[in-house]
């Protein structure tokens, strides 16, 4: 394993599970605290590996989670994760973390990992695109952007299947009201009674909003199908692949197109 990821050494920490709070019916925010003498170093948009034993007979497992909070000097030990209880296994993970919290035991965490972190010049327009749980990464990136350049030109799109899945709506609405150059657009996958906002495929909504994406930097978080599909559809608006960043490029790289 490469011991240095993008300039920061890969380190292991024994972290306290300091809080578990529901964000929605099936979504939980997990707060971890590294030891007092630790000073965490990671880029906004990177992820960590959590060593956990959610199914006793299976033994320790390495679980990958996006870090949902930017690295801040006033709270250098804090890590935030967002975990969805969308399966029996994820339910066991939340239960195991709750047990560690109650017993005041620590979880082993390794970071930082991932190449699709915030690395672009903030004097250029940015579009941040998330489907479902991909919003954790976008939350971290936008926190870092406003720390560095409060007047950055940023448009955020977050797509979900159901109205109740927008569990960070207050966070993004507050950002939008604090920073006048930030636009936040929640998108429902299909029209729904009582939903007054935008609906449809992410690429369709973005196409409606931009005349040109030629000089835009785009961070995309979601399934490989969503990421590659959105990029392909937006080429007609001038979006360049070299201006796009996604974890998908690492874990599900596209096969080279054969010339025909």
């Amino acid at each position: 394993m490469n011991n240095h990821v993008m300039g920061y050494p890969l380190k292991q920490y024994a972290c306290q599970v300091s809080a578990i709070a529901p964000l929605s019916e099936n979504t939980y925010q997990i707060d971890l605290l590294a030891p007092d003498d630790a000073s965490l170093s990671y880029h906004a948009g990177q992820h960590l590996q959590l060593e956990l034993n959610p199914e006793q007979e299976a033994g320790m497992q390495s679980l990958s989670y996006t870090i949902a909070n930017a690295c801040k000097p006033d709270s250098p030990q804090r890590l935030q994760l967002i975990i969805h209880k969308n399966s029996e296994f994820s339910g066991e993970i939340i239960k195991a973390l709750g047990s560690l919290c109650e017993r005041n035991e620590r979880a082993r965490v390794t970071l930082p990992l991932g190449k699709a972190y915030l690395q672009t010049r903030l004097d250029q327009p940015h579009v941040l695109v998330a489907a479902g749980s991909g919003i954790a990464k976008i939350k971290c990136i936008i926190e870092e952007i406003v720390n560095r350049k409060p007047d950055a030109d940023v448009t955020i799109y977050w797509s979900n299947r159901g109205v109740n899945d927008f569990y960070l709506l207050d966070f993004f609405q507050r950002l939008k009201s604090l920073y006048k150059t930030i636009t936040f657009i929640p998108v429902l996958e299909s029209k729904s009674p009582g939903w007054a906002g935008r609906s449809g495929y992410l690429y369709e909504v973005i196409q409606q909003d931009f005349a040109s994406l030629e000089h835009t930097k785009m961070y995309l978080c979601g399934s490989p199908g969503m990421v590659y599909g959105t990029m392909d559809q937006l080429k007609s608006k001038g979006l360049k692949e070299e201006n796009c960043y996604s974890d998908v490029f690492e874990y599900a790289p596209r096969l080279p197109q054969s010339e025909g």
Side-chain angles (χ1 to χ4, degrees):
M1 185 186 279
N2 183 352
N3 287 333
H4 286 75
V5 179
M6 305 302 127
Y8 287 130
L10 207 56
K11 288 187 178 178
Q12 205 172 71
Y13 302 92
C15 292
Q16 181 188 351
V17 183
S18 58
I20 299 177
L23 295 173
S24 72
E25 191 182 348
N26 291 310
T27 310
Y28 295 82
Q29 179 179 303
I30 315 293
D31 286 338
L32 301 174
L33 275 178
D36 290 344
D37 58 351
S39 188
L40 302 172
S41 296
Y42 59 89
H43 295 293
Q46 289 192 295
H47 56 271
L48 55 75
Q49 268 188 344
L50 176 66
E51 302 291 327
L52 210 57
N53 188 3
E55 298 171 313
Q56 298 303 318
E57 64 279 2
M60 277 292 180
Q61 300 191 41
S62 288
L63 308 163
S64 184
Y65 288 106
T66 297
I67 303 167
N69 63 303
C71 204
K72 292 183 182 168
D74 58 346
S75 52
Q77 285 84 34
R78 186 170 159 265
L79 291 165
Q80 189 183 90
L81 311 179
I82 293 172
I83 299 181
H84 299 269
K85 189 178 172 182
N86 54 8
S87 67
E88 195 177 326
F89 180 64
S90 55
E92 292 298 327
I93 291 167
I94 292 159
K95 204 187 293 180
L97 287 165
S99 178
L100 289 176
C101 186
E102 284 169 19
R103 300 199 309 265
N104 204 19
E105 292 179 10
R106 292 177 181 262
R108 202 158 69 234
V109 163
T110 303
L111 73 151
L113 296 155
K115 296 176 183 174
Y117 58 83
L118 181 63
Q119 56 198 269
T120 37
R121 281 176 32 199
L122 298 181
D123 57 353
Q124 298 165 317
H126 280 64
V127 173
L128 311 180
V129 183
S133 60
I135 199 64
K137 182 185 179 92
I138 297 305
K139 176 183 178 292
C140 186
I141 287 175
I142 194 62
E143 282 184 355
E144 181 63 22
I145 288 175
V146 297
N147 285 346
R148 284 199 228 161
K149 194 175 193 300
D151 62 345
D153 173 5
V154 185
T155 307
I156 301 163
Y157 293 90
W158 183 18
S159 169
N160 275 304
R161 286 182 183 156
V163 177
N164 295 332
D165 296 329
F166 291 104
Y167 47 82
L168 289 176
L169 214 50
D170 290 349
F171 171 85
F172 285 101
Q173 298 289 15
R174 190 167 64 249
L175 264 183
K176 186 177 158 181
S177 64
L178 285 172
Y179 303 98
K180 301 305 176 194
T181 53
I182 290 177
T183 303
F184 170 66
I185 299 164
V187 181
L188 210 55
E189 283 186 15
S190 52
K191 285 192 170 74
S192 177
W195 176 255
R198 311 281 289 277
S199 60
Y201 288 117
L202 277 163
Y203 75 83
E204 291 174 327
V205 177
I206 298 169
Q207 281 174 338
Q208 291 161 13
D209 293 350
F210 286 87
S212 171
L213 291 163
E214 191 181 351
H215 303 294
T216 298
K217 305 295 183 185
M218 188 173 285
Y219 289 81
L220 302 105
C221 311
S223 69
M226 182 284 265
V227 170
Y228 291 126
T230 300
M231 285 166 49
D232 290 346
Q233 291 290 343
L234 294 177
K235 278 179 185 169
S236 62
K237 290 286 185 179
L239 181 68
K240 297 173 183 162
E241 197 150 332
E242 62 265 29
N243 287 340
C244 296
Y245 303 84
S246 177
D247 289 322
V248 162
F249 301 163
E250 274 182 87
Y251 75 80
R254 239 201 298 219
L255 294 171
Q257 303 267 306
S258 58
E259 298 293 326

